[in-house]
Amino acid sequence: MNNNYLLSHRKEEPENGILYMVGTPIGNLNDMSQRALNILKNVSLVACEDTRQTKKIMNKFNISNQLISFNKHNSSIKTPKIVKDLKEGKSIAIVSDAGMPGICDPGEEIARSVKSEGIDIICIPGACAAITALVSSGLPSSSFVFEGFLPKKQIDRDKILLEISKNEKTTIIYESPKRLKKLLKELFELCGGEREIVVARELTKKFEEHVGNNINNVMEFFRDKDIIGEITIIVKGIQKRNLNPNKFIIKKDLNDLINAGLSLSAASKYLSKRNGLKKSEIYKMI
Ligand code: SAM
């Protein structure tokens, strides 16, 4: 443990003039952290996506504090006031309906505005559907791409779907239950039925479900079902491309032919014909 770590824990929270981005549960209220509760209780005010949602958390944990609504419809009006309050020394918490604010939820833009004014932001980490689904998928998780919701416009959507089909990294997608079957069909067409995926439904909730392990199986599983609940999809990347093995075989063949007495030119000519390559391409390989 280094000294910086210890120092950071000596601070009393919340501090004046700080914007706190507070993670809240994605279904299971027991995932609320002590630190997040302390912030919600003691900041000057809590700006929430939907005050009714945040009230549920406040009531469950017997917290009362001033709540104001802050969402995509009013953020341009509310942001200057929040920045002013922070500059005057208030501490403010941003909370979305579920999970981490700023991840496909209000928070991203206010974080930019606040930072550009030189005000500090502290994130109080909490559940995030993307990471929860990734970690439980069993698919490679140390390097991944988070796409969030795919665009609705087909031309933009197709572009991203094509990228996903060629990506070597695991991809995380948010999708509404209404559109899951369409997305599975699109993935099937571009990636093939054998591509590994996991559909995580209702994470952390009573009817949590993980459906895998490839596109064929998942399509079959949902074929005759009405899909409800919240959905996160994890798609495995394609196998890392190996260096073209032909290159090594051709090099070995070339050596063998030269060792057997052929000139470089004759051996290259022979191999270029056999492999359907130009002689110059054979030369490049060596
Ligand atoms: N900020 C949130 C986070 O940190 O995960 C994401 C908010 S985004 C508006 C909502 C989407 O997240 C849902 O449509 C779904 O794709 C995914 N999601 C949220 N809760 C989930 C859950 N319990 N299980 C599976 N996916 C979930």
Side-chain angles (χ1 to χ4, degrees), residues 23-28 49 96-106 126-133 146 148-149 173-177 200-205 208-209 229-233:
T24 57
I26 54 169
N28 190 327
E49 186 176 5
S96 68
D97 281 352
M100 292 300 299
I103 305 297
C104 298
D105 265 345
C128 174
I131 301 301
T132 309
F146 174 61
F149 291 100
I173 307 170
Y174 285 163
E175 187 54 285
S176 91
R201 201 177 69 83
E202 296 287 82
L203 287 161
T204 78
K205 303 184 200 175
E208 173 164 353
E209 179 172 69
E230 296 193 276
I231 306 271
T232 299
I233 300 111

Side-chain angles (χ1 to χ4, degrees), residues 115-127:
K115 269 277 182 207
S116 69
E117 294 285 337
I119 298 165
D120 284 338
I121 300 174
I122 303 269
C123 175
I124 309 294

